[in-house]
Amino acid sequence: MGVLRMMLPVPRAVARVAPGAGRPLLGAALLRCVMPAWVLLRPPPVARRVAWAAEAVELYRSIGAENRPDELARALVLHGQVLLLAERYEEAVAAVDASSAVPGARPSPARTAGALRTRAQALLDAGRAEEALAPARESVERYRGGPRPARRDRSLGGLPTAMLTLALVLGRLDRRTESVAVHEECAELLRTMPVRQLGRFGLTRPRVLVELIDGFGALGRHEEALALAAEAEEALQGPVVWAGPELVQYLRVRLPTALARSRLAMGRTAEARDTAEEAVTQARKGMERHPVRGPLWLVDALVCLASVLDEVKAREEELGVRRELVDAYARLAADRSAGYEPSLVDALGALSVVHEELGEHAESVAATERGVTLLRRLAEREPASFEPHLARWLADLSLCQQSADVREAAVASAREAVTLTRRLAESDWPTYTPLTARRLRVLGAALRRSGDFAGAVTSYEEAEALLRDAVEQSDDDVDRHGSDLARTRFLLAWALRRAATADGAESAVPALRSLLALTHRTDATAVHAVCVMAFAEARTEHQDDVVREWETATGEPYPTFVYRFTTDRGRGSKPAAR
């Protein structure tokens, strides 16, 4: 191959001097350079291969499609393959489609199957998995039913590569069981393949094994996943390293990541941690050798290690990993903001949780504020996608600020969360009305912390009213909304209890009346207990003033079930009933 590349000037010169014989010769040489016959040869850079393939296509077109239609069709298929490697997916689809439209071309079954496989892979990588399924299936069927590919068509792929593509498409469509079944069949096919023939699929074999391990893990078949570990590690050794160093390095990150998840699921936490750390080590090597892809591998490995550390409650170590993960996503988001800012937001959320668990409330607030800032920017661009997340994060920010005792800011964040959720509820009442009630509870807690007990009562009362409506109008969610309603009523009872003793007797009576009315709406023992305590505390705090105010406002005697409240335990007697 190297000799042929160096000698390309010769057929170029012949093509200029004697076009009739020289141009077909140059076209054949170019295509041979584009796709080496033996897969374990290290290919030239993708950009150069794309240029050669494009030159070959133009050369055959200049000869005339009617003169050499098969050569033009084959050149277009190969052009599609290298465009796929260059991540120019739509152009790859167009090239393959053009190959099937060449007049007079009579492609071999293997070439047709290879073209279908390339089209399916390009569609999958372009995010069009549903469109990719049909050509992926047809490619496998054609390879199964057709003769063994001729020598010149072997570089276009084979049954194992077609099966791998089909399995990847099924996995992307979340048809995991079918995907794993295809991977299993493909792995068995490769195991029984003669060594000489297996050389053409040196890069396919480790990819299939790693995907199969990951698939087993996703299906909960962890023992089967771990049983393949040694075979997969062996497949990543030897000549394949020279043939595809970038793919091999990626798989060396992906393999321990998948194994760590299975070991963690089986309770083998020490092994899982070691394996996850190995994935991060391999990812760091990938960062050095492959600066474009390496950062993506690193975030996958860090996510895995963070989940293992979370499971074993190693919070200090997890904090360091979460920080590094935030930094890694921040670098990615700086270059590809449309794709990685949401991932950065998720990473900041996880970092905030770890800070909170370590009691680092100010740091938790800072991480959450950073996430809110990012979400505001995303919501401006795509309101429908990101405003719901912004509302949730604002409520979380208020909770973090409450823990950090940043009271005014906590109230402001909670108010904004409620306002945004109310607006969302206008277009989707069943989803956002219960969420509005929950965020009103967050606002109530913030107001209570700031000493605004009347405001807290108002928030809890609105939340209760919304949840009562939700329970009445949604039979399917009675239990869920009922639990939220019970929690809201308990919090309302506590807020009314505080309001009853916060100011004078005149202000206490409305709170007590509301609290008594609340006991008529629920049979919850906890709410009734709070009511008893509130009346006792109000009588203790305001003495006979509250009795007079109560009787004036209601025309009824102060409730007789109330005991005088005392904290004097030394006398040993129960408070006397009035």
Side-chain angles (χ1 to χ4, degrees), residues 42-267:
R42 176 174 286 185
V46 172
R48 191 179 302 174
R49 297 167 71 185
V50 170
W52 286 334
E55 184 182 354
V57 169
E58 292 305 315
L59 187 67
Y60 283 118
R61 280 180 174 153
S62 68
I63 294 173
E66 67 279 1
N67 296 324
R68 291 184 177 270
D70 287 335
E71 284 80 354
L72 174 58
R74 184 169 182 272
L76 284 164
V77 173
L78 290 174
H79 191 206
Q81 283 201 344
V82 291
L83 286 169
L84 174 61
L85 296 176
E87 300 181 7
R88 294 160 59 178
Y89 306 124
E90 298 298 339
E91 294 176 70
V93 172
V96 172
D97 289 346
S99 73
S100 62
V102 174
R106 294 189 295 178
S108 66
R111 190 188 309 166
T112 301
L116 287 165
R117 202 278 311 175
T118 300
R119 189 176 199 279
Q121 188 68 54
L123 289 170
L124 174 65
D125 292 339
R128 298 159 60 183
E130 291 185 0
E131 296 176 62
L133 183 57
R137 285 195 187 281
E138 188 177 352
S139 175
V140 170
E141 291 168 3
R142 285 181 178 270
Y143 272 123
R144 286 189 198 278
R148 183 179 176 182
R151 184 178 182 85
R152 70 194 306 261
D153 289 333
R154 290 175 189 171
S155 60
L156 299 175
L159 180 56
T161 53
M163 294 177 73
L164 172 60
T165 298
L166 175 58
L168 293 174
V169 171
L170 291 167
R172 186 73 60 83
L173 293 173
D174 205 25
R175 296 165 64 168
R176 180 66 69 176
T177 302
E178 295 174 73
S179 175
V180 167
V182 176
H183 278 307
E184 281 188 284
E185 184 182 357
C186 187
E188 189 59 33
L189 175 66
L190 290 166
R191 289 188 189 104
T192 59
M193 193 172 283
V195 175
R196 182 176 178 181
Q197 189 178 352
L198 185 61
R200 293 169 41 216
F201 304 104
L203 293 173
T204 303
R205 180 173 170 247
R207 177 75 185 273
V208 168
L209 290 170
V210 172
E211 294 288 349
L212 183 54
I213 289 170
D214 188 60
F216 277 147
L219 294 178
R221 297 162 62 179
H222 302 296
E223 291 185 1
E224 294 173 85
L226 297 179
L228 288 173
E231 184 180 0
E233 288 166 357
E234 180 271 329
L236 288 169
Q237 307 298 324
V240 294
V241 177
W242 295 96
E246 185 172 347
L247 175 61
V248 169
Q249 189 61 41
Y250 163 67
L251 294 176
R252 284 179 175 170
V253 176
R254 183 99 181 276
L255 175 60
T257 300
L259 293 173
R261 292 190 179 114
S262 287
R263 285 170 177 152
L264 182 64
M266 295 182 68

Side-chain angles (χ1 to χ4, degrees), residues 23 69 312 334 491:
R23 285 187 297 178
V312 299
L491 293 171

Side-chain angles (χ1 to χ4, degrees), residues 278-302:
E278 171 63 19
V280 172
T281 300
Q282 291 293 338
R284 295 194 199 288
K285 293 179 182 177
M287 287 273 289
E288 298 171 1
R289 299 171 186 172
H290 310 285
V292 176
R293 301 279 189 179
L296 303 178
W297 308 340
L298 180 61
V299 296
D300 288 343
L302 289 171

